Amino acid sequence: MATVPVPAPEQEKLVRTWETAPGVYGWCATVDHKQIGIRYLVTSIVFLLLGGVEALTLRIQLAQPNLKFLAPEQYDQLFSMHGVTMIFLYALPVLSGFSNYLWPLMLGSRDMAFPRLNALSYWLYLFSGIFLYVGLPLGQAPNGGWFNYVPYTSSEYDPGINIDIFALGLIFLGISTVVGSANFVVTLLRTRAPGMSINRMPILVWGTMTASVANLFAVPALSLACFMLWLDRNFGTSFFAVRGGGQPLLWQHLFWSFGHPWVYALVLPSMGIVSDALPVFCRRPLVGYTAVALATVTTMVIGFGVWVHHMFATGLPTMAISFFSAASIIIAVPSAIAVFAWIATIWTGRPVFKVPFLYFAGFILLFVIGGVSGFMTASAALDWQLTDTYFVVAHLHYVLLGINLFPVLGGLVYWFPKFSGRMMDERLGRWAFWIMFIGFNLAFFPMHIVGLEGMPRRIYTYPADLGVGGWNLLITIGAFMLASGILLFLYNLVRSLSVGEVAGPNPWDAPTLEWSTSSPPPPQNFDIIPIIASRHPLWEDRLEDVEDRSQLTTGYLLDHGRETIGTTPLDAEPNVILRMPGDSLLPLCLAVATSVLFFALLSKLWLIAGLGFAAALVTLILWFAPEPLADPEHPRLYA
Amino acid sequence: MPDAIIAKDTLPVNGPGRLSTGWWGMLCLISTEGILFAYLIFSYAYLGVQASGSWPPGGAPPLSLALPNTILLLASSVVLEVGARRFRSGRDRSTVPVLLLTALMGAVFVIVQWEEWGRKEFGFTDGAYSSIYFTLTGFHLAHVVAGILALLVLAFWGWQQRLTRGGLHLALGRMYWHFVDVVWLVVFLTIYIVPQQP
């Protein structure tokens, strides 16, 4: 093996090869994972704001007893859209944004395994989000909650297109999730840099991989349930309708078979963000890497066996309830392993209290509170008292906002220099964090209390003599405080894009591979594909237990068109050169055809639906058409 | 300035089978589709366990059409596999006849299934059993039709001589077709064989 320097013309050639075409065509046709990642992040934050405005509207209505700010029907639509937006259109897509942007950089690759599929999953996500929202201005938005229980949502009790939008919209979004997840799984298995064996991957990669495998197994349950509901509502089948021998509880089984694993899909990648970024601010590697990686996978595996804990109050047999109660409590074990690993990392490190550290430390506290209330609701006897009260609302906001939103915001501050080349302002960042953290606890902690006092969830108002008016006012004030903290955060973000301090490649002195390229990275990510020998390629000179040295300035050049290296799934031995597709309009065309199909199904325009379907088929055939291979045996490896 | 490695051996470009990303992508697709059928069969079993009357309502479905049809579909997998292997090893110049024959066997399966649907005494909306029966077999039928389309497109590319011997496209088509057949075996056992009681 010999090495030669990469000459400047070669570098320019790489940039030219990987650059997206300029103008509208490039904007529509790009398959660059970095651009798609940023699009995911921006779109999901827009949905976060929409969901937030919905939440504030609900909180105005609930600020005092007997208010008439919203009509009951408006309240139903707003709380349903709030749940659907936050869970489906913000929480997972924002994590996809991070992973899309960061994975190839962290893995030492030039792109995801299927760049066009990546673009497709974004377009499908955007269009299905619009699809779910078309009803809202018309007063026809989904109104059955994000869980959408039958028989409330069957056509007898809820005629109109509200629920059809939900059912078709989530099938539509499910396609995006599944293709995106397949892409993550294959990217992980096949495109890691040589030497990055699975015990050297960043924890974020473990988190997203676990969540993606879970999505492949969980999303079909929801798509199927929604399809059955759509058939029941529009064609008179009897899956959930009692009159024809159908079973309303089948909906709940299918929904929670999906819904519970999905909750972990929303939190495992964000726990991965913390596991990767927190150690940087503690100036030491994560304590218990192997335990945390295994805990991630274990959480997901157990997560598939706990769906019935959402159904303790439905009259299931005691044996079933006992089993699922035990399974739900056991899941505290892997979660606790992760928490102790983070605490030990802080404890034995030399923490630097930068803004991202505040978010991650705050997250640990919220995660523990949410975990404890989760332990309480996992116990069937207690759950019978707490179910459908505000206690559950408090729990789910502590876990979902605590585990998803705080790491996401901390991660945004942490990777902002990589995205933009600039730093976010530290002082504004501290203000935003503290306003948000205090607002969050003001808004959600009292919900435990009003829940224990007996206030049911999903009601649009409550009587004065329930005695929870004061608490509810406090909750509303907290909600507005949380929202102003988020606005301050976004102001800081937008302002820093132009006036932030210039960052350089590695402003936090972090150990992982994405920090070895310039900020923002060049179109090809890496001039050469590096060769990895440890978990912390950029910290090797200061860590004692590292035997080998990664080679970040010596590696495979791969400049015959868009190419990256393919490696074996476990040990990451290079075994193939992957030729990647260039910019293409096919993903956008396929997404448009799919949108036509779904809008036509919603409007019952069967002919147009058929045309949309046919267009999608033709696009797919073009997509898969074999390309002639000029040189099946690569003549010049490398250099 | 970074240095580039000059390797001793060359690596294949977009290699066949497991070396390609497409092979792994198809594995993901098959996993998620397989799970979809698992949830369908779960729904079938759940509705059956909870049903108040007999399940299936009119007694076990007859095997007179379903059994030969099952044998036909499984045979089509064998035909495809033997043909594809002969093509790979160079004994056949083209895969086109095999692909067309497999697609034809699939088409006969679809027609027989359609005929069986027509013979049922109940319709799609008559009750829980009929809903799940038509949905489960219908999902499978849609997969067979997708498989036939894939085989025809492959045959067209084969006729244009765009398919290579170790190539990915044929491998993906084979994987998908075998998957469709294996799923049918499970559906057939669930719907037709399990209810047959002596």
Side-chain angles (χ1 to χ4, degrees), chain A residues 5 14 40 56 71 91 129 152 178 225 245 249 347 371 438 471 473 517 555 611:
Chain A
L14 278 171
Y40 257 109
L56 293 180
Y152 174 70
V178 165
L249 270 193
W347 194 284
I438 295 168
W471 287 118
L473 186 61
T517 66
L611 290 176

Side-chain angles (χ1 to χ4, degrees), chain A residues 2-6 114 190 216-217 220 235-239 244-245 247 531 553-555 575-577 579 624 634 637-638, chain B residues 1-7 9-10 12-15 19 21 24 32 35 39 46 50 124-125 127-128 131 135 157 162 169:
Chain A
T3 62
V4 290
V6 178
F114 303 109
R190 295 294 291 145
L216 289 180
F217 289 158
F235 301 95
T237 52
S238 312
F239 293 105
Q247 296 293 333
I531 297 168
T553 52
T554 306
N575 62 0
V576 69
I577 292 156
R579 181 160 291 171
F624 282 107
H634 215 289
L637 208 212
Y638 280 66
Chain B
M1 174 159 292
D3 295 334
I5 290 180
I6 301 165
D9 310 311
T10 54
V13 177
N14 286 350
L19 287 181
T21 47
W24 296 89
T32 190
I35 295 291
Y39 286 119
Y46 186 83
Q50 303 283 335
F124 188 32
T125 58
S131 297
T135 304
W157 288 336
R162 289 162 81 182
H169 288 79

Side-chain angles (χ1 to χ4, degrees), chain B residues 81-93 165:
Chain B
E81 194 56 28
V82 169
R85 286 188 183 199
R86 284 181 63 88
F87 175 68
R88 255 187 102 165
S89 61
R91 273 172 290 168
D92 281 345
R93 294 219 333 267
R165 286 191 187 277

Side-chain angles (χ1 to χ4, degrees), chain A residues 467-515:
Chain A
V468 293
W471 287 118
N472 271 300
L473 186 61
L474 187 64
I475 294 170
T476 301
I477 293 169
F480 274 89
M481 198 168 159
L482 175 60
S484 46
I486 289 179
L487 286 183
L488 187 59
F489 181 97
L490 292 177
Y491 166 72
N492 186 10
L493 192 144
V494 172
R495 185 175 165 274
S496 304
L497 281 176
S498 50
V499 304
E501 186 190 330
V502 174
N506 190 3
W508 309 109
D509 186 21
T512 40
L513 213 48
E514 76 270 26
W515 300 103

